[in-house]
Amino acid sequence: MATISDVAARAGVSTATVSRTLNGKSTVDPVLAARVQEAATELGYQPNGLARNLRRQETAVLALVISDVENPFFTAIARGVEDVAQTAGYSVVLCNSDEQLAKERRYLEIAMQERVAGVIVSPVGPSTSVDILTSRGTPVVAVDRPLTEPGSDQVLVDTRQAAQEATTHLLAAGYRRVGCLTGPAGVRTADDRLDGYLDGLRTAGVTADNTLVRRAEYRAGCADVAAEELLDLEPPPDALVVANSPIAVAVLQALAARGLRAGSDVGLVAFDEVPWATLIDPQLSVVAQPAYEIGRVAAELLLARIGDHSRQPTATTLEARLIPRGSSRRDRLPAAG
Amino acid sequence: MATISDVAARAGVSTATVSRTLNGKSTVDPVLAARVQEAATELGYQPNGLARNLRRQETAVLALVISDVENPFFTAIARGVEDVAQTAGYSVVLCNSDEQLAKERRYLEIAMQERVAGVIVSPVGPSTSVDILTSRGTPVVAVDRPLTEPGSDQVLVDTRQAAQEATTHLLAAGYRRVGCLTGPAGVRTADDRLDGYLDGLRTAGVTADNTLVRRAEYRAGCADVAAEELLDLEPPPDALVVANSPIAVAVLQALAARGLRAGSDVGLVAFDEVPWATLIDPQLSVVAQPAYEIGRVAAELLLARIGDHSRQPTATTLEARLIPRGSSRRDRLPAAG
DNA sequence: ATGAAAGCGCTAACAC
DNA sequence: GTGTTAGCGCTTTCAT
């Protein structure tokens, strides 16, 4: 594989001149520059990024470590990050931690070792290994879930508030036994949504019933049992606040298996807008999080910190929006009764 | 940031011994090894991957360049790739080409320059820039769509056959004006699915009607117009073969907007299984592609080629499976009439 | 404007 | 078993 000195030799100049030409630096004699270009293309020269990075001690690459590639919420974040990075001349590499601390740690280590310019992470847990990065001065921004250690920017959503709103909405619609199916303990969004649900009950003067609360993994295909347990309670809940869309799928499947109908039989509000929300009958009421926006803001924050390492870390909280649809309306009941 | 010589100095040994210890090479005196480990942790030493890669001229990283991160089909492939890479000690970085040739080319160049061990790509078009890689000896495997240039492994799906089967299925169910909404011209899967659809018509002795064929971008939110055009034809098609799930969403939305029902009003078979296929009413008939399997096989092929660069490139074709559900059954009609 | 030369941090011969 | 040393390919002073 042709190196820079091959090109230099062929063009009859020094490696410095080749480097300057190929990087568009200072003013190089047009004649020499042309000779260099020619030699480079003739040799099919491809710069060795490894060597360049080693010399420069930096890379125009951002790492984005998300906890589930198959969750549309996170892929939407990825789009936001990518769009911003792209226009700033950065590339982004996506790493899937799969909600596993070990994988997350591994990817963060690689990011560190490969000296990426910065990383955006949706931490699996509150006590992650981001200090590997922050202690070395690599800018980090946390999305979706906070980090206990200071030093990173954060872009979160006021999800507790949103969960309360969802609960209040269900209660106002006339549901009386509102349950909650949330994510694993220790995952902040899961705990927050549960707390918001409890806030909603309390505000309405309803006493919480622990048996109406279940937890499940956030990933697809993990919440089946929890959903079934809830629906098979005696008496069953007549409405559910559901913490994300993969879990919502499980709930809807369990409902269908029992011949139950969302809305009329069991009120439903699920976190995260999905393309199919309006395709099911009744349509799914959701708490829409500004996923793309989260990614956009996170990338902007990261680039700002890369440009100025002394910048103080900030915390941004975005708002979620309740979109009421048919799955949180009981009004079919009178018609049927 | 601590370097290997800092560690060597602190442990009172040579850099070579540090390197050997940290890489678990040959047999290092346990006493020295312990001193090295201690010095390393005290200094918070993190190896510089850039330097290591430069020296080794290789990286334990695979690049996966997919054409749409928001399409579940591709994220499922990513899962397959990741699972096998993981167990082989490789990490995978995901790059989103967004169906844009320029982005794809850019990521391929980065992959080359960063000297990744190999790349898996779902090419935006047939004439991609993979030769950047193949000519330099970097193993490449194409997934979902073939590459015209030889030299890469391929993992494809017999999608033409599947499209024919879907069409035949609709015809057999009693639909008479079966249309097709496929992807952009030049994208092989789009053209293949169209051809398969035409095969299906021909086999059944039905003359193809060009007005019943439309094309749209493969990405979400791009097929609305095409879907509407099709449904507003006079007379409209009474069934549709749809080339992927983002397009299927557009079709289902257009149907709903017109008060039409899948199955009874317009028969529907869409490519790609999605989590919500059984949640809509009627359930969505799909052609399920073995996405996870594609990723798995592609990664295995890639690792094999990395291990033995002289290995001959292979072509694997996997089968898709038609899953008939309610959206391709007309039987509601009699009940309604 | 151009070239010579010094490393970036690491690994792998090679010598001891 | 351990140390010495020569680069990997590039960028960037520092001279000229």
Side-chain angles (χ1 to χ4, degrees):
Chain A
M1 197 162 327
T3 74
I4 198 170
S5 28
D6 297 333
V7 178
R10 183 169 188 111
V13 298
S14 72
T15 59
T17 300
V18 175
S19 174
R20 283 192 273 254
T21 305
L22 266 27
N23 290 298
K25 286 290 177 67
S26 49
T27 78
V28 179
D29 186 311
V31 181
L32 292 192
R35 283 226 304 271
V36 169
Q37 293 289 4
E38 194 185 331
T41 52
E42 281 174 5
L43 264 41
Y45 171 69
Q46 282 283 344
N48 184 324
L50 266 29
R52 175 191 315 201
N53 295 340
L54 174 57
R55 176 62 227 232
R56 288 203 186 142
Q57 294 288 28
E58 65 174 35
T59 318
V61 172
L62 307 182
L64 172 58
V65 185
I66 60 177
S67 42
D68 183 8
V69 253
E70 292 195 298
N71 185 334
F73 170 68
F74 291 112
T75 55
I77 291 181
R79 295 297 308 269
V81 170
E82 221 170 42
D83 284 355
V84 173
Q86 198 79 16
T87 64
Y90 283 79
S91 303
V92 7
V93 301
L94 222 180
C95 309
N96 181 30
S97 69
D98 211 17
E99 298 284 5
Q100 293 174 236
L101 207 55
K103 279 196 189 179
E104 175 183 285
R105 187 187 178 85
R106 174 140 180 240
Y107 278 119
L108 291 176
E109 270 172 2
I110 291 175
M112 164 80 246
Q113 292 175 6
E114 301 293 326
R115 303 295 195 267
V116 299
V119 359
I120 297 175
V121 56
S122 67
V124 169
S127 59
T128 39
S129 353
V130 288
D131 49 325
I132 306 176
L133 295 156
T134 49
S135 65
R136 290 302 182 299
T138 304
V140 171
V141 6
V143 290
D144 187 47
R145 309 166 188 183
L147 249 18
T148 45
E149 301 129 39
S152 356
D153 288 275
Q154 319 238 12
V155 183
L156 308 174
V157 172
D158 190 351
T159 202
R160 177 170 181 166
Q161 161 65 27
Q164 169 171 4
E165 204 178 324
T167 309
T168 304
H169 166 68
L170 285 167
L171 259 12
Y175 297 101
R176 293 155 191 265
R177 284 177 56 79
V178 179
C180 179
L181 181 34
T182 191
V187 175
R188 180 61 163 271
T189 52
D191 293 339
D192 276 358
R193 286 163 203 182
L194 175 55
D195 287 342
Y197 155 79
L198 295 172
D199 291 344
L201 293 184
R202 197 176 311 117
T203 307
V206 177
T207 1
D209 178 349
N210 278 335
T211 63
L212 295 182
V213 173
R214 283 291 186 295
R215 289 179 183 271
E217 288 296 312
Y218 261 158
R219 286 170 302 167
C222 295
D224 312 19
V225 176
E228 286 159 10
E229 280 178 11
L230 271 173
L231 296 181
D232 293 340
L233 283 175
E234 202 54 61
D238 66 356
L240 248 27
V241 174
V242 179
N244 77 358
S245 68
I247 297 182
V249 169
V251 171
L252 289 163
Q253 277 165 348
L255 240 35
R258 280 156 185 70
L260 295 174
R261 201 175 149 76
S264 49
D265 294 318
V266 181
L268 231 52
V269 177
F271 270 77
D272 296 344
E273 175 69 314
V274 284
W276 46 271
T278 57
L279 298 179
I280 64 176
D281 180 35
Q283 299 188 355
L284 185 64
S285 300
V286 300
V287 173
Q289 297 192 85
Y292 181 88
E293 190 74 4
I294 293 173
R296 225 180 40 67
V297 172
E300 280 163 0
L301 252 23
L302 188 62
L303 291 174
R305 279 271 294 291
I306 289 171
D308 173 11
H309 280 244
S310 67
R311 218 162 165 286
Q312 281 305 306
T314 63
T316 307
T317 302
L318 302 175
E319 295 299 314
R321 201 171 86 258
L322 175 69
I323 305 180
R325 298 196 179 107
S327 75
S328 54
R329 271 200 297 272
R330 307 175 71 214
D331 54 15
R332 289 223 160 220
L333 265 186
Chain B
M1 199 163 323
T3 74
I4 198 171
S5 29
D6 296 334
V7 178
R10 184 169 189 110
V13 299
S14 73
T15 59
T17 300
V18 176
S19 175
R20 283 193 273 255
T21 305
L22 267 26
N23 290 297
K25 286 288 177 68
S26 49
T27 81
V28 179
D29 185 313
V31 181
L32 291 192
R35 283 226 304 272
V36 168
Q37 292 290 4
E38 193 185 332
T41 52
E42 280 174 5
L43 263 43
Y45 171 70
Q46 281 286 340
N48 184 327
L50 267 28
R52 173 190 318 200
N53 296 340
L54 175 58
R55 177 62 229 234
R56 288 205 186 140
Q57 293 288 31
E58 67 174 35
T59 319
V61 172
L62 307 182
L64 172 58
V65 185
I66 61 178
S67 42
D68 183 8
V69 253
E70 293 195 295
N71 185 334
F73 171 68
F74 291 112
T75 55
I77 290 181
R79 295 296 308 269
V81 171
E82 221 170 44
D83 284 355
V84 346
Q86 199 80 16
T87 64
Y90 283 79
S91 304
V92 8
V93 302
L94 220 180
C95 309
N96 180 30
S97 69
D98 211 16
E99 298 284 6
Q100 293 174 235
L101 207 55
K103 279 196 189 178
E104 176 183 283
R105 188 187 177 84
R106 174 140 178 239
Y107 278 118
L108 257 20
E109 270 173 1
I110 291 174
M112 164 80 247
Q113 291 176 6
E114 302 293 326
R115 303 295 194 269
V116 299
V119 359
I120 297 175
V121 55
S122 68
V124 169
S127 59
T128 39
S129 351
V130 287
D131 49 326
I132 306 175
L133 293 156
T134 48
S135 65
R136 291 302 183 298
T138 304
V140 172
V141 5
V143 290
D144 186 47
R145 309 165 188 183
L147 250 17
T148 45
E149 301 130 38
S152 354
D153 288 275
Q154 319 238 13
V155 183
L156 308 174
V157 173
D158 190 352
T159 201
R160 178 169 180 166
Q161 161 63 28
Q164 169 171 2
E165 202 178 326
T167 309
T168 304
H169 166 69
L170 285 167
L171 259 13
Y175 297 101
R176 290 150 193 268
R177 283 177 57 78
V178 179
C180 179
L181 181 34
T182 191
V187 175
R188 181 60 162 272
T189 52
D191 293 340
D192 276 358
R193 286 163 203 183
L194 175 56
D195 287 342
Y197 154 79
L198 295 171
D199 291 345
L201 294 184
R202 197 176 311 119
T203 306
V206 177
T207 2
D209 178 349
N210 277 335
T211 63
L212 294 183
V213 173
R214 285 288 186 296
R215 287 180 183 271
E217 288 298 312
Y218 261 158
R219 287 169 302 167
C222 294
D224 312 18
V225 176
E228 286 160 8
E229 281 178 10
L230 271 174
L231 296 181
D232 294 340
L233 284 176
E234 202 54 61
D238 66 356
L240 248 27
V241 173
V242 180
N244 77 358
S245 68
I247 297 182
V249 169
V251 170
L252 288 164
Q253 276 164 349
L255 238 37
R258 280 157 186 70
L260 294 174
R261 202 175 147 75
S264 49
D265 295 317
V266 181
L268 230 51
V269 177
F271 271 76
D272 296 342
E273 176 69 314
V274 285
W276 47 271
T278 57
L279 298 179
I280 63 176
D281 179 35
Q283 298 187 355
L284 185 64
S285 300
V286 300
V287 173
Q289 297 192 87
Y292 181 88
E293 190 73 4
I294 293 173
R296 225 180 40 68
V297 173
E300 278 162 2
L301 252 23
L302 188 62
L303 291 175
R305 280 272 293 291
I306 289 171
D308 173 10
H309 280 246
S310 68
R311 217 162 165 286
Q312 282 304 306
T314 63
T316 307
T317 302
L318 303 174
E319 296 299 313
R321 200 171 86 257
L322 175 69
I323 304 180
R325 298 195 179 107
S327 75
S328 54
R329 271 200 297 272
R330 307 174 72 213
D331 54 16
R332 288 226 160 219
L333 266 186

